[in-house]
């Protein structure tokens, strides 16, 4: 069995080989080396991450060792050449990026610098004097710009001022320059403004009135505004963004380990609310280390924020002595190895993102370098600070049930020892829900999950979120809300954006700890044209992380699906119930005659546009209705009117939906009763109409949230509300 060090070096060695086609020299300048495009912005950061990886790899090697056929000195030489190009193309340098521009003095300049500094820490003393001087010039230039030109802002909901992660990397850079160059005239000012940046990063509303003394002042005196909700939820890029919670913590790790390298204590403001945020992020992580993105993701799956979780785990193990962090690290390495071993060139992502690397070498090398530098840093810190020796792995601690609710995002989350269930209204693409076993993160996909997909004639689909209500109870929750689906970027000259559907969804997580009931009601506001309509729309990844195999079972048959092989297209299952891999059951109550599987012939889950970089996961689509081709709907015509259950576990011996339990309902009220896993029967009632509705019961009903009995009475449901019941 390989040691930790051997595992990391093996992965990094393969990547070094795969990087060779993306390494180049500039005409007439063999002393510099370029990785990737050499362009400004993300090209610069890609260059900096590649430099750090080469530098760290050289530092990890012992006398006589080689990696990817290169000695320590050869890797060091390549690192120096990569750094030379990066520093010379800065505004303080005498050259440019390959696109003719110079980089630096922007809100994001410090990010790439911070991500390369572990490499600088390793080889600074071995750099030529001219590069040491230029490095000092570049870092002080960036620090002076932040000190004199860049204001500190924060906001929990204004996208233009919500800057938790950039406040962290900017504050970290200012402190870093102060410790690297204490003789600099502005060193004290760097520390002062750096602390203000840090304390307005993972900031929450209660900081406003806090009398806690940090860096010589009350926290309230440092406070500008909150970036996080009091619950530690973060709206970023317009949605509930678990990934950027992780990015914030990863920035702390970078400076933390630079202080550790120097044997001095970091300022306490660096860790401001870090442990509080980690306690939540840990709940949003599968046992195998994959992030549980309850609000969705607009990036390539299993990448970027996921990669920098490695840095977070190192921080939490080293500074906060949390053994769960090393358990995540060890489990995640298996996923990284699994994918890398499928790539003949040794890359991390080459096969899965084969189309992306053809249309955007900038984006592809950015993603490759994210993984490379995060692995290199983790290998370095584990070895230099003996993290795993100080904190050996032990048996996982038993997890107590966890319930979390954030009203700003309309986010509800339940976790027990075996399963998770969630619903989030302010999500990445559309509001969506998850009901999943914890022991298989490969089942998780976010886009449109359990909320359907309606696409108009425009090239882009947007969501306008309306009102939503939610209640969290013991072991359960209920929520209802509405949103408009807008078809944008129309082809017709002068054609405006088109609202193609007004959608309402009611969702209940049942007290059985395993099930969710979901109702959807979508209507056309005017005459509309729809080119794709998919109800339910549970996206089921069928890619390398589950060995390209899914087993779909109905009461009548078992279907084996290989993600790489036909038959593609739409298949009617002639059943209203199915089970996936003996782990997840879907049951359709009403809205279509049967469930269907739609199988696209290529990877989907796109970043932006379907024809741009291609998809990054093969996915089966479990649907109720599934209509492709242009359809016309008149005003008030119903597009989707459905109800279904999602339940973790095996296929039940009989249908759980109780068709004979339906009471008398008003026209746009809906009702469904379900025999749950705990042996009890629950029911969800919703009023999707514009007027108050009623439901008349014929047996004893107990409202979950109120504990009141209803027997043979008429329940009034105001418009846009729902109720969860227990029957009997």
């Amino acid at each position: 069995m390989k040691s930790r060090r051997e595992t990391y070096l093996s992965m990094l060695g393969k990547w070094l080989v795969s990087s060779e086609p993306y390494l180049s020299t500039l005409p007439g300048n063999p002393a510099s080396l370029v990785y990737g495009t050499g362009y400004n912005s993300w090209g610069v950061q890609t260059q900096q991450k590649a430099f750090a990886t080469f530098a760290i790899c050289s530092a990890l090697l012992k006398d006589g060792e080689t990696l990817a056929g290169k000695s320590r000195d050869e890797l060091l030489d390549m690192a120096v050449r990569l750094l030379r190009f990066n520093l010379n193309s800065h505004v303080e340098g005498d050259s440019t990026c390959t696109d003719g521009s110079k980089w630096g003095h922007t809100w994001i300049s410090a990010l790439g610098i911070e991500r390369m500094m572990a490499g600088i820490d390793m080889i600074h003393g071995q750099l030529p004097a001219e590069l040491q001087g230029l490095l000092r010039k570049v870092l002080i230039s960036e620090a002076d710009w932040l000190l004199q030109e860049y204001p500190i802002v924060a906001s929990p909901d204004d996208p233009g001022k919500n800057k938790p992660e950039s406040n962290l990397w900017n504050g970290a850079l200012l402190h870093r320059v102060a410790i690297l160059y204490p003789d600099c005239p502005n060193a004290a000012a760097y520390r002062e403004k750096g602390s203000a940046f840090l304390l307005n990063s993972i900031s929450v509303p209660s900081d406003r009135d806090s009398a806690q003394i940090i860096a010589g002042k009350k926290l309230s005196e440092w406070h500008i505004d909150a970036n996080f909700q009091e619950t530690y939820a973060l709206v970023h890029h317009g949605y509930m963004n678990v990934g950027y919670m992780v990015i914030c913590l990863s920035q702390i790790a970078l400076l933390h380990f630079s202080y550790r390298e120097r044997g001095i204590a970091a300022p306490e403001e660096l860790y401001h609310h870090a442990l509080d945020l980690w306690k939540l992020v840990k709940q949003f992580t599968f046992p195998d280390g994959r992030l549980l993105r309850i609000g969705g993701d607009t990036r390539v799956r299993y990448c970027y924020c996921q990669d920098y979780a490695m840095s977070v785990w190192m921080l939490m193990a080293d500074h906060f002595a949390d053994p769960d962090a090393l358990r995540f690290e060890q489990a995640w390495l298996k996923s990284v190895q699994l994918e890398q071993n499928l790539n003949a060139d040794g890359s991390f992502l080459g096969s899965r993102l084969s189309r992306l690397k053809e249309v955007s070498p900038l984006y592809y090398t950015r993603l490759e370098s994210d993984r490379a530098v995060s692995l290199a840093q983790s290998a370095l810190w584990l070895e230099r600070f003996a993290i795993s020796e100080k904190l050996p792995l032990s048996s996982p601690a038993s997890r107590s049930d966890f319930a979390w609710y954030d009203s700003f995002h309309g986010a509800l989350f339940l976790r027990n020892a075996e399963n998770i269930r969630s619903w989030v209204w302010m999500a990445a693409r559309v509001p969506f829900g998850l009901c999943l076993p914890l022991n298989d993160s490969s089942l998780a996909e976010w886009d449109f999950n359990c909320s359907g997909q309606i696409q108009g004639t425009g090239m882009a689909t947007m969501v306008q979120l309306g009102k939503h209500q939610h209640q969290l109870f013991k072991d359960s929750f209920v929520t209802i809300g509405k949103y408009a689906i807008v078809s944008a970027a129309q082809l017709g000259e002068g054609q405006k954006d088109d609202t193609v559907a007004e959608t309402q969804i009611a969702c209940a997580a049942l007290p059985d700890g395993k099930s969710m009931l979901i109702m959807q009601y979508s209507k056309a506001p005017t005459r509309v044209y729809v080119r794709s309509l998919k109800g339910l729309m549970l996206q089921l990844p069928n890619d390398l992380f589950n060995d390209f195999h899914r087993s779909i079972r109905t009461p009548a048959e078992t279907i084996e699906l290989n993600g790489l092989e036909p038959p593609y297209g739409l298949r009617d299952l002639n059943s209203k119930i199915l089970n996936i891999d003996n782990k997840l059951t879907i049951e359709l109550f009403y809205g279509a005659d049967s469930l269907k599987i739609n199988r696209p012939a290529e990877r989907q889950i796109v970043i932006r546009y379907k024809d741009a970089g291609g998809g990054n996961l093969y996915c089966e689509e479990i649907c109720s209705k599934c209509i492709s081709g242009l359809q016309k709907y008149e005003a008030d015509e119903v597009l989707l009117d459905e109800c279904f259950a999602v339940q973790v576990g095996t296929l039940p011996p009989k249908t759980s939906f109780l068709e004979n339990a339906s009471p008398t309902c008003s026209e746009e009220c809906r009702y469904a009763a379900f025999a749950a896993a705990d042996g009890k029967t629950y029911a969800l009632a919703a009023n999707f109409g514009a007027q108050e509705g009623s439901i008349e019961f014929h047996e004893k009903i107990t409202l979950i949230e109120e504990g009141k009995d209803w027997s043979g009475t008429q329940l009034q449901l105001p418009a846009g509300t729902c109720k969860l019941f227990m029957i009997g």
Side-chain angles (χ1 to χ4, degrees), residues 42-58:
W42 282 106
V44 169
Q45 296 189 35
T46 295
Q47 176 83 9
Q48 291 164 326
K49 291 176 292 181
F51 151 74
T53 303
F54 276 81
I56 292 170
C57 285
S58 72

Side-chain angles (χ1 to χ4, degrees), residues 524-545:
T526 59
R527 171 181 284 190
V528 299
Y529 293 88
V530 173
R531 57 187 171 89
S532 178
L533 175 65
K534 298 173 183 177
L536 199 156
M537 191 54 173
L538 186 138
Q539 295 214 73
L540 175 63
N542 193 0
D543 213 291
L544 64 98
F545 299 102

Side-chain angles (χ1 to χ4, degrees), residues 669-681:
C669 288
R670 296 293 182 270
Y671 174 93
F674 180 72
D678 59 3
K680 298 177 182 178
T681 299

Side-chain angles (χ1 to χ4, degrees), residues 161 210 352 451 595 607 700:
K161 295 182 178 179
S210 176
R352 184 160 61 95
S451 59
L595 290 166
I607 306 170
K700 182 179 178 181

Side-chain angles (χ1 to χ4, degrees), residues 12-30:
L12 289 167
K14 291 177 182 177
W15 180 80
L16 290 174
V17 172
S18 77
S19 71
E20 292 177 3
Y22 299 96
L23 292 167
S24 60
T25 56
L26 299 174
N29 186 11

Side-chain angles (χ1 to χ4, degrees), residues 207-457:
D207 289 351
R208 183 181 300 111
D209 303 313
S210 176
Q212 179 186 1
I213 302 299
I214 302 182
K217 293 194 295 188
K218 291 180 180 179
L219 178 56
S220 59
E221 296 177 60
W222 290 104
H223 186 71
I224 293 173
D225 204 347
N227 280 309
F228 285 73
Q229 303 298 313
E230 199 68 39
T231 60
Y232 291 95
L234 174 66
V235 59
H236 211 60
H237 291 80
Y239 64 95
M240 163 72 190
N241 202 322
V242 172
Y244 274 79
M245 298 178 191
V246 171
I247 292 296
C248 289
L249 292 172
S250 75
Q251 297 303 136
I252 296 172
L254 299 178
L255 187 58
H256 164 83
F257 284 107
S258 283
Y259 275 104
R260 290 277 276 127
E261 185 66 34
R262 289 160 178 78
I264 57 179
E268 63 177 320
E269 51 267 36
L270 177 63
Y271 309 105
H272 182 56
H273 290 317
L275 185 57
D276 298 314
L277 179 56
W278 164 245
K279 289 176 181 177
L280 181 60
V281 165
K282 189 160 71 165
Q283 299 292 343
F284 294 152
T285 309
F286 284 100
D288 67 0
R290 187 182 180 196
L291 297 181
L292 174 51
R293 303 197 58 146
I294 67 168
D297 186 10
T298 55
R299 307 288 176 84
V300 175
R301 304 304 192 253
Y302 293 89
C303 293
Y304 188 54
C305 299
Q306 178 70 62
D307 289 319
Y308 290 109
M310 291 287 292
S311 304
V312 178
W313 298 331
M314 294 301 103
L315 170 68
M316 293 305 155
D318 184 59
H319 190 65
F320 294 105
D322 188 338
D324 282 336
L326 291 185
R327 279 191 279 273
F328 290 142
E329 173 250 357
Q330 284 288 274
W332 174 244
L333 288 182
K334 295 177 183 178
S335 293
V336 175
Q337 288 176 293
L338 172 67
E339 181 157 19
Q340 188 178 37
N341 289 340
L342 292 175
N343 301 324
D345 63 353
S347 65
F348 293 121
L349 307 163
S351 296
R352 184 160 61 95
L353 301 186
S354 58
R355 185 171 175 185
L356 177 65
K357 67 182 178 182
E358 294 298 321
V359 299
S360 181
L362 184 149
Y363 207 147
Y364 176 73
T365 52
R366 167 187 170 180
L367 293 174
E368 284 282 327
S369 60
D370 283 329
R371 183 153 297 176
V373 76
S374 64
L375 289 170
Q377 289 169 344
S378 296
L380 175 69
W381 297 333
L382 280 163
E383 184 170 296
R384 289 186 74 80
F385 306 117
I387 296 173
S388 57
E389 285 76 14
K390 291 188 307 180
L391 193 65
L393 287 176
S394 57
S395 299
S398 58
R399 289 190 180 274
S400 57
D401 291 354
F402 179 78
W404 181 83
Y405 162 62
D406 179 72
S407 60
F408 178 80
H409 294 89
L412 303 109
F413 177 74
L414 297 171
R415 176 172 177 154
N416 58 36
E418 297 178 343
N419 313 309
I420 69 96
R421 294 171 297 164
S422 67
W423 186 272
V424 175
W425 288 101
M426 191 181 291
R429 300 201 188 276
V430 297
F432 73 91
L434 297 173
C435 180
L436 296 166
L438 281 168
N439 66 2
D440 189 353
S441 72
S442 75
L443 288 166
E445 174 47 40
W446 334 117
D447 284 358
F448 312 105
N449 199 65
C450 295
S451 59
Q453 183 185 46
I454 301 173
Q455 295 180 309
T457 55

Side-chain angles (χ1 to χ4, degrees), residues 540-591:
L540 175 63
N542 193 0
D543 213 291
L544 64 98
F545 299 102
N546 58 283
D547 198 27
F548 299 100
H549 179 263
R550 294 294 184 194
S551 181
I552 307 295
R553 181 184 169 203
T554 72
E557 63 176 333
T558 298
I559 304 167
E560 307 297 339
L561 298 176
N562 186 312
L564 296 170
E565 296 178 357
Y568 300 118
L570 186 64
R571 177 170 181 168
D572 194 322
L573 296 178
N574 297 309
S575 173
K576 285 192 172 186
I577 188 168
L578 63 80
N579 178 269
I580 301 162
D581 292 343
N582 212 30
K583 293 179 179 179
L584 197 64
T585 296
I586 313 298
E587 188 170 348
L588 180 65
F589 295 172
Y590 62 80

